[in-house]
Structures are given as structure tokens and as C-alpha cells.
Amino acid sequence: MKRIAVVGASAAGLAAAETLRREGYDGTLTLVGDEPQAPYDRPPLSKQVLAAEWEPERLALRPPADLAALGLDLRLGVAARGLELAGRTVQLADGTEVPYDGLIVATGVRPRRLPGADAHVLRTLDDALLLRDRLEPGVRLVVVGAGFLGAEAAAVAWRLGAKVTLLEPAPVPLAHAVGAEVGSILTRAHAERGVDLRCGVTASEVTQNGVRLADGELVEGDEVLVAIGSQPNTEWLEGSGLAVGDGVVCDEYCEAARNVYAAGDVARWHNPLFGTSMRIEHRTNAAEQGMAAARNLLRPVARKPFAPVPYFWSDQYDMKIQAYGCLRGHDEVAVVHGDLTEGRFVAAYRTGERVSGALAVGMPSKALRPWRQAIAAGAVWGEAVRTDATVPGV
């Protein structure tokens, strides 16, 4: 291959570009990014950056010298607008085209929004800095969505002195992901700090004065943050011939079409470890999948399935939350170490007959490592977990 294009200049795209060079590729390597900034890290946006503990310069994924050493044809501040598979070209918003022999799609996701007035979202550096400027002591912040992103932002805003209202349609935040009992423990932290957590309510629109609920009630606020999930950036691929369905559809090698691979938040691939299709919006997966896609593109004869044990983490108030595996859709939860009521525990998750996930709160990383190994090995639930450890009612 003489020309490889990587579309998307965040963690997955940069990891792919670096891997290609590290594996010996010395042809033209184009890296396209729709933001003007050089590749930067996103997880700190809802934590250290929002809290004004870090300045933007600290987010850079690589120093300028390291980026320059990759010898990239770097196209920043310009989005991809189309893909022609037959002609092997990517059309950019500035009217130019990028030819390729191999392509890696890493265009990520964008936040879902509510109708009505403008509201804050948290995806880019500009998003975080804008919200940070508004979080003064006493400001009324309404956060729509009590998932991990919304909970992290609410925790930071509370620490900065804001009066926070957190709206969530589910009876228990995060119950769909971590289970009702574990979700209750995680979200108890909000109530203990005076955050107004309202569950079982549906936000219908943003107004100039706050958030209108489906029943007509107005939840007043000076600022509104919408954190109701994301949608993959795949519109630019319409009409290209690539299969798109909640992401770019790939096989177990992350290949979407001949010599076209996808990685990161936008990729929906078949994970053979779990025997199912998945799309993961976590920082660790983005980098690992970018590397895997690059290797498979460059060495098609020696391709390897991408079969990771997914990992994510979240910081909320004084809680460190870490998890491995696939927690959604589980059949059973068991506390295997510590105590839920003390807020320091490890919980294991069963899907079918195997251990499919594990989550720790307030525990050292080493407490989770054996469970990562069990998930990777496809451990049978009954052999790995004591039956008397099951959380009642979960």
C-alpha cells in the first residue's frame, strides 16, 4: 500500500497512525480530523478540565515533536463528507479529496441533543471550557441523564459550588448497565451531597429557563447539560456502500470492506470472546482497536480477531469505579468482595452460564485483575462465584 488514510484524529485514529509507522509502513499516511486541535484526550474533559484542575495543554496525546516524527499528511479542522469505495477516495468538507489504498474509519460519536433552546454537551474541549466558565458558586445546573458522563459532571459541578439537579428517566440510574442494587449504591452519593436527583422523569425540551418535562413541569436552571448518550458519526458514509447500523458494521477483524477498517467509538464489530456484535465508547478500547485495525490492514495474511475484555473507569465524588467485560444485559450479579453498604466492593456479573463482567468501587486495581482473567477465559459462573454471594433481587 502506498497511501493509507485514517479519518478521525482522536485516540483511535492516532493509535492507528502510530501503529502503522511502528509496524514499518513508510508510505503516505493521511490523518483527517474535524477539530482544529492536535489529537487530545477526552476522558479528562468531564473531570479534571471541567474542574479547572487541568488546562488544555495537558490533554495533548503526544508532544508536537512526536507527532511531527510520524511524517503525517495532517488535515485538521476539516471533516470528511463522503467516501467512494470504487474510486478509493475520501471527500473532505473543504472540497479536496484524499486518495487511499487502505482506509481506517475512526470518526467517533457526537452527543445526542434535546429539542428547544441551546444546551451544553460534553464531547469536545470547547464544550468543556464553555461549561467550565459557567460553573460559578450558586449557579443552578440541570443535568439531563445520570449515566457515567452526567454523573461525573454533576459531581464536579457540586464540588465547584453549583446547585445541581440531575434528571434520569430510569427508576434507578445505571441499572441497565450495572444492576439496580449496585446502581443504587453508586447514586446514593448524589443524595448524600444534596444533589437533587429525580428519577423516573422524562425531559422533553430545553427552554431558556431550564428543562421542560414530559408532564409539563419546568425544572428551572441557569445552565443545562444534556448527557443522554451519543450517536456514531456515520452520515458521511451514506451511499458509500459500507454497512452502517449504529456504527460502521465490521467483522471480527474490524474490517468493513476490502482494505477498509473501523476503530473506536464508531466501530460496531463482532467480538468473538463474547460471541456478539458490540460498539464500545471507552477510551481504552479506542486505542486498542486502533492498533488492531492498523495491524490487520497492514498484514492481511496474519490478521487476528479483535477480542478484548472491555475496560472502563469513572470518577465520581470520592469514588473510583472500574469495570471489565460486558455488564449490560446480565442475568445475575454477585458481590464477591467487600460490602455494598460500605461503598467498597467488587461485583461479578453473569450472562448465561459464564462470567461476563466485573465492577469495583473504591477498590485497588489488583482486586479486579482475577476477574478480568476469568472473563477472558470464559469462566463458568458456578465454578468462579459462590452461590451465596448473589445480590438478592438482582
Side-chain angles (χ1 to χ4, degrees), residues 14-382:
L14 179 61
E18 289 182 323
T19 301
L20 289 167
R21 290 302 194 211
R22 191 164 53 246
E23 295 288 324
Y25 176 72
D26 59 3
T28 300
L29 180 52
T30 302
L31 181 62
V32 178
D34 62 349
E35 293 184 69
Q37 298 93 344
Y40 63 88
D41 212 10
R42 296 188 191 276
L45 295 179
S46 60
K47 302 184 255 306
Q48 294 91 342
V49 173
L50 193 60
E53 297 169 350
W54 288 14
E55 290 306 315
E57 296 76 18
R58 191 168 176 179
L59 294 180
L61 286 172
R62 298 294 179 270
D66 290 358
L67 201 59
L70 294 174
L72 301 173
D73 170 23
L74 194 56
R75 313 280 187 97
L76 296 179
V78 56
R81 284 292 179 262
L83 170 65
E84 186 178 336
L85 283 179
R88 293 187 297 185
T89 57
V90 175
Q91 291 84 42
L92 303 184
D94 62 4
T96 61
E97 293 186 343
V98 177
Y100 68 85
D101 299 311
L103 173 65
I104 296 177
V105 178
T107 44
V109 297
R110 65 184 182 281
R112 297 185 184 277
R113 297 177 182 267
L114 286 173
D118 289 339
H120 294 278
V121 292
L122 261 178
R123 175 65 184 175
T124 69
L125 175 59
D126 290 343
D127 293 336
L129 294 178
L130 178 59
L131 179 57
R132 184 171 87 175
D133 287 344
R134 306 292 177 83
L135 290 181
E136 299 177 349
V139 71
R140 297 173 301 170
L141 174 68
V142 180
V143 180
V144 184
F148 287 110
L149 179 64
E152 288 175 356
V156 170
W158 171 84
R159 185 149 49 93
L160 294 176
K163 297 179 179 179
V164 182
T165 300
L166 188 54
L167 307 178
E168 169 60 38
V172 177
L174 295 170
H176 65 289
V178 302
E181 292 289 335
V182 176
S184 296
I185 297 300
L186 297 181
T187 56
R188 184 180 64 188
H190 298 300
E192 290 176 344
R193 289 163 174 82
V195 170
D196 183 7
L197 173 60
R198 304 188 190 182
C199 296
V201 298
T202 301
S204 60
E205 66 172 338
V206 179
T207 75
Q208 296 295 337
N209 301 310
V211 175
R212 181 79 60 188
L213 301 182
D215 63 4
E217 179 187 356
L218 176 65
V219 179
E220 295 185 350
D222 304 307
E223 304 290 337
V224 175
L225 169 64
V226 176
I228 55 175
S230 304
Q231 54 193 94
N233 289 320
T234 57
E235 286 74 14
W236 68 283
L237 297 170
E238 290 179 3
S240 67
L242 286 187
V244 173
D246 186 34
V248 178
V249 180
C250 306
D251 62 13
E252 66 268 32
Y253 303 103
C254 305
E255 188 176 40
R258 181 172 175 78
N259 292 333
V260 177
Y261 289 73
D265 297 0
V266 75
R268 171 166 291 281
W269 91 105
H270 180 81
N271 186 335
L273 179 61
F274 295 90
T276 189
S277 173
M278 58 178 60
R279 186 177 65 80
I280 296 176
E281 297 181 18
H282 299 313
R283 171 66 174 81
T284 303
N285 183 77
E288 292 178 348
Q289 195 165 27
M291 291 187 286
R295 293 191 185 104
N296 287 341
L297 170 63
L298 207 56
R299 309 270 189 267
V301 177
R303 294 193 308 174
K304 294 181 179 179
F306 183 57
V309 176
Y311 169 77
F312 73 88
W313 77 95
S314 178
D315 295 318
Q316 300 173 26
Y317 303 108
D318 56 354
M319 296 186 302
K320 179 72 173 183
I321 304 165
Q322 304 175 77
Y324 280 107
C326 292
L327 279 55
R328 292 174 185 264
H330 60 267
D331 299 314
E332 187 177 348
V333 184
V335 174
V336 294
H337 190 79
D339 191 304
L340 280 175
T341 59
E342 295 178 0
R344 296 184 74 255
F345 62 89
V346 175
Y349 293 75
R350 174 180 68 81
T351 302
E353 298 302 319
R354 61 177 287 182
V355 179
S356 57
L359 177 143
V361 174
M363 302 292 288
S365 297
K366 63 181 181 181
L368 263 185
R369 288 174 192 151
W371 294 99
R372 182 195 182 283
Q373 296 167 1
I375 297 165
V380 176
W381 178 260

